[in-house]
Amino acid sequence: MMETLRLKNYKSHTNTEIQGLGPLCAFVGPNGVGKSSALDAAYVLHRLGAEAPRDLLAEPTGRAPDNVARKGSDGFVLDASGRFDGHRYRAKIVGALPLTGWKLTNSSEQDGRTLALDSPEAAPLRAALTIAHFFRFEPSQLRRASYSEALAPSLETNGLGLASVVAYLMCTAPEGHRELVHHMQNVIPSVRGVRARPAYVPNPASKVSWTGHEILFDTVDGEGIPATGASEGTLTVLAILTVATVAGGDALILLDDVETGLHPKAQRDLIAALRKLTEDNPGLQILMSTHSPYIVDELKPEEVWVFDRDEHKKVGVRRLSELPNADEALKVLTTGELWSMATEGKLP
């Protein structure tokens, strides 16, 4: 589980350090203050066990060093530390700008010892730095029928592949599927069931279609309603709960704009479901960005990090619990109200 994240000269961050991260955390603040960048940095660092820095920071990913390094800087640093399976770890990437072009280096530590990630001794560390999932869901992709050649299909960042993952869960982990439906019912009460059925998926390379899956919802209004007829909020909830259920323990899930398309009550119930999943799976960590006070209301003040810019336009981050007079304010305000008032400058 990641406990500390540092970004230096990365995108909007001059020198940002976030300490004390736990199983369920939210990044809040106005647009353009680096919330998504922090989630993205966490993803990069927690994929080092599976991908080289040059691949994680390649041009097609949108993270080419020339694009992510702050203007006027000579490079950037991404640094994370935490614990896993009784071990301590640290992962770091440095992007420097010598005259001949960008140079990317990475270093890693396990229990305070510097280790090469490909060494036999680093097997636990390698496993810990492989299990990050970053999502910015698009309803149009969540609705699509999907096909996967993988034995254990996964979701793409935009949500494509949801039908394949639901079908996989139904076939291989019936208890997990029942748990998923239970959480769905708690968040979207009109849903009575979620399932997948075989469906043709167009193959862009030929005239022959693949045989994949599509999602069906059973609701109070009818059975077998296809995903194309479901609301954006229902699909988003299903996607979030599916990835959290499939991931189980020892995984980092990063969710950008978690409240998209959700009614305030559904937002609250979703956070309650995610908290239950993190409690049942001690290795599961969920970090999210949000603009919703209803989401913040369901979190503890120490689980919320407020991003903002100072008078010099420099990004700063601090816990909601560290705001001036937070303890006194929380005697009469909810967590979301505290954040809203602080944002509006109404706290002394």
Side-chain angles (χ1 to χ4, degrees):
M1 182 172 297
M2 183 172 60
E3 296 173 341
T4 300
L5 176 65
R6 182 186 174 213
L7 302 85
K8 182 176 181 181
N9 292 327
Y10 186 78
K11 296 187 178 181
S12 57
H13 297 271
T14 303
N15 193 3
T16 299
E17 187 164 352
I18 306 170
Q19 297 184 348
L21 293 166
L24 187 62
C25 301
F27 299 160
V28 302
N31 293 321
V33 292
K35 303 184 299 295
S36 299
S37 300
L39 295 177
D40 193 55
Y43 173 79
V44 169
L45 290 163
H46 270 253
R47 288 293 297 168
L48 284 173
E51 301 179 63
R54 65 178 177 274
D55 297 322
L56 288 162
L57 295 158
E59 187 71 44
T61 67
R63 306 187 194 99
D66 287 316
N67 297 329
V68 300
R70 279 183 62 83
K71 186 177 180 180
S73 69
D74 58 1
F76 63 89
V77 177
L78 302 179
D79 196 349
S81 61
R83 54 188 168 80
F84 66 94
D85 197 24
H87 299 276
R88 300 291 306 178
Y89 79 88
R90 183 180 183 188
K92 185 177 181 180
I93 294 177
V94 177
L97 181 58
L99 294 176
T100 54
W102 281 100
K103 181 181 180 182
L104 292 169
T105 59
N106 67 293
S107 59
S108 52
E109 295 179 11
Q110 182 175 296
D111 298 327
R113 298 172 56 209
T114 300
L115 294 175
L117 273 171
D118 58 357
S119 68
E121 291 177 289
L125 177 60
R126 210 162 42 244
L129 299 180
T130 306
I131 45 177
H133 313 277
F134 185 27
F135 299 107
R136 188 181 289 114
F137 294 125
E138 299 174 14
S140 62
Q141 301 302 317
L142 294 173
R143 288 189 171 95
R144 289 178 60 182
S146 59
Y147 161 83
S148 175
E149 294 183 351
L151 287 176
S154 59
L155 264 69
E156 296 184 15
T157 297
N158 60 15
L160 181 61
L162 179 59
S164 298
V165 178
V166 171
Y168 171 79
L169 194 62
M170 288 177 61
C171 293
T172 63
E175 187 58 39
H177 178 252
R178 283 191 289 272
E179 180 184 13
L180 169 64
V181 173
H182 172 71
H183 287 308
M184 276 293 297
Q185 291 170 340
N186 286 339
V187 181
I188 312 289
S190 61
V191 172
R192 293 290 182 260
V194 180
R195 49 200 169 95
R197 71 177 177 189
Y200 288 119
V201 180
N203 181 349
S206 72
K207 296 181 180 180
V208 179
S209 296
W210 289 308
T211 301
H213 293 90
E214 67 175 348
I215 292 170
L216 298 178
F217 292 94
D218 297 325
T219 75
V220 295
D221 299 311
E223 295 187 354
I225 298 172
T228 52
S231 71
E232 177 179 328
T234 298
L235 291 165
T236 299
V237 169
L238 175 61
I240 292 172
L241 293 176
T242 297
V243 296
T245 300
V246 172
D250 298 322
L252 174 63
I253 296 175
L254 306 153
L255 303 169
D256 206 11
D257 289 337
V258 69
E259 74 278 7
T260 302
L262 296 183
H263 182 275
K265 184 178 186 306
Q267 294 177 32
R268 296 176 185 273
D269 292 339
L270 175 61
I271 297 304
L274 294 180
R275 187 178 298 283
K276 180 69 165 57
L277 284 164
T278 58
E279 290 171 351
D280 292 344
N281 300 278
L284 179 63
Q285 184 174 31
I286 301 174
L287 308 184
M288 68 191 82
S289 69
T290 183
H291 298 97
S292 171
Y294 304 108
I295 294 284
V296 177
D297 266 347
E298 297 306 305
L299 297 167
K300 303 170 186 175
E302 60 270 22
E303 295 174 327
V304 180
W305 275 259
V306 181
F307 287 56
D308 210 345
R309 294 183 185 269
D310 61 19
E311 63 273 17
H312 305 294
K313 305 302 181 183
K314 180 181 177 181
V315 171
V317 181
R318 56 180 171 172
R319 288 196 204 210
L320 187 61
S321 57
E322 296 169 352
L323 293 179
N325 303 319
D327 289 342
E328 286 300 312
L330 286 168
K331 292 178 181 178
V332 294
L333 299 176
T334 67
T335 315
E337 289 170 339
L338 172 63
W339 169 48
S340 296
M341 292 189 69
T343 302
E344 296 167 5
K346 294 180 181 179
L347 287 181

